[in-house]
Structure formats: C-alpha cells, structure tokens
Amino acid sequence: MKKYILTIAFVLFFVIGMVLSYTIFKPAPKQMVTSQSILTALTSEGFLVSQNYVFQQTVTIEKSTGSALKDVFFGQTIEATALMKVSAGVALSKLQEQDIRVTGTEIHIALPPVETQSIEILGNITLDNSQGIVKRLVDNDDGYNVALSELKQQAKSAAETPELQQEALVQAQKQIQTFLQFVDPEKKVLFK
C-alpha cells in the first residue's frame, strides 16, 4: 500500500511540475503583422534619404540690356562655381493604407516617387562678377544670391535624371526591405 501511495504521489508531483513549467515557460504568442502596423512603422520614419549626390556646378549668368554700348555701362556677367550636394529619397509620410498589402508570405508596397529633399553648398562659391560702370556705382550687386539660386537649380536638374532617380529608388527599396526583415523575417517584401 505504501508503494502505491508513493507512486501516486510521484506521478501527481510530476504532472503538477509539467503543468507549472508549461505555464511559466510557454512560448509567447506570435505578433500578427498587418498592413496598418507596417504603415505606422514606415510613415513614422518621415523622409527616407536613400542617395546623396555631389556635383561640381558652374554657371554663367548674363544680364544684358541688348546693346553692346549699354552693356558697358549697365551690363553684368556672373560666373560661379561650387560643389553642390543633393539628397534624394522617398517621402514615407506620403504612404497610404492602400499602398501596403500583406498576404500570407509577402508584403507588397507601392512607394511614392523619388523626390529631392535638399540641395546644399559644400564649401564656398567661387564668384566672378563683371559689372558695367554705372551699374557698379548705382546698383553694386555681387550676384551671390542669383548665382546660388542658379547653382541649386542646375544641381537639382542633374540629380533628376532617370538613371539617378532609379538608383535612389533601388536604394530606398533595399533600406525598406532590410527594415521590414526585422519586423517579420519570414515574409518576402515586394515593390510595385
């Protein structure tokens, strides 16, 4: 009889230990990844700069009156050179709920188009300003602001070529894919 009681106590102790260990160490429920959770994670990033380009830009600005004689007195020629940095990428804050679709094994994302975020000068502008005699006395404009504006416009145009836009898009896709692999490593990320 003692043997049976000891065996029943051992089995009961074993079963209680199994139940307690499962209760304490049970696996955590897997988080469900939805299009809304991905949208929230991506839009919180704001603007994703995926490429930076550096261009050596040179501009010549002629402010002519149309007459060679008047240009001696009132004309102006500005030549400017500078290193310009253009940052391009994708505005993730523009993503909408319909741009993201989650299926069993895939995440489909339609990204907004690549756009230029900023244009900056690296270093100084080298400026050569030739002004007519009267212009120099009456309206002495060094031409810095006009040159800066033109340099920025040319740098933006240089960065908006289809090849560079495609490169910025591919880099943005790679960065988003890496980010989403941390969110759910089992899903494949596809871009539309």
Side-chain angles (χ1 to χ4, degrees):
M1 180 80 165
K2 236 183 188 184
K3 199 178 197 186
Y4 292 119
I5 294 176
L6 194 56
T7 305
I8 292 174
F10 178 73
V11 170
L12 191 59
F13 181 72
F14 182 74
V15 170
I16 291 172
M18 291 286 288
V19 170
L20 281 175
S21 66
Y22 180 76
T23 305
I24 295 171
F25 299 111
K26 71 180 174 184
K30 187 174 179 182
Q31 294 292 333
M32 183 77 170
V33 176
T34 64
S35 60
Q36 187 61 42
S37 64
I38 293 173
L39 178 67
T40 302
L42 290 177
T43 55
S44 68
E45 296 298 314
F47 194 91
L48 173 64
V49 175
S50 58
Q51 280 299 108
N52 289 309
Y53 305 107
V54 177
F55 301 104
Q56 177 74 34
Q57 294 297 132
T58 301
V59 295
T60 301
I61 303 165
E62 298 264 347
K63 292 186 176 181
S64 175
T65 59
S67 166
L69 182 59
K70 284 185 178 179
D71 284 346
V72 170
F73 295 104
F74 299 104
Q76 183 178 21
T77 302
I78 304 166
E79 293 181 9
T81 303
L83 272 177
M84 305 296 291
K85 175 184 169 187
V86 181
S87 299
V90 177
L92 296 177
S93 58
K94 292 182 178 179
L95 282 172
Q96 301 292 319
E97 192 169 344
Q98 64 269 18
D99 295 332
I100 300 171
R101 188 170 48 92
V102 178
T103 63
T105 60
E106 298 174 336
I107 300 171
H108 298 267
I109 301 176
L111 290 177
V114 172
E115 52 188 79
T116 301
Q117 184 199 29
S118 66
I119 305 167
E120 308 168 35
I121 302 172
L122 297 178
N124 296 320
I125 295 178
T126 304
L127 195 65
D128 182 28
N129 184 9
S130 302
Q131 296 182 39
I133 299 167
V134 174
K135 175 133 174 86
R136 192 175 312 131
L137 293 174
V138 176
D139 182 22
N140 190 11
D141 176 20
D142 65 357
Y144 181 86
N145 292 333
V146 173
L148 176 61
S149 176
E150 187 64 28
L151 287 166
K152 283 185 173 184
Q153 185 58 42
Q154 284 193 7
K156 182 177 181 181
S157 296
E160 290 178 345
T161 63
E163 297 83 19
L164 295 181
Q165 293 284 298
Q166 182 63 28
E167 185 179 330
L169 179 63
V170 167
Q171 290 302 317
Q173 290 172 345
K174 286 180 182 178
Q175 291 178 24
I176 291 169
Q177 187 170 14
T178 302
F179 174 71
L180 291 178
Q181 288 300 307
F182 288 112
V183 174
D184 191 346
E186 297 173 6
K187 292 199 186 307
K188 183 176 182 180
V189 180
L190 301 172
F191 295 94
K192 300 176 188 174

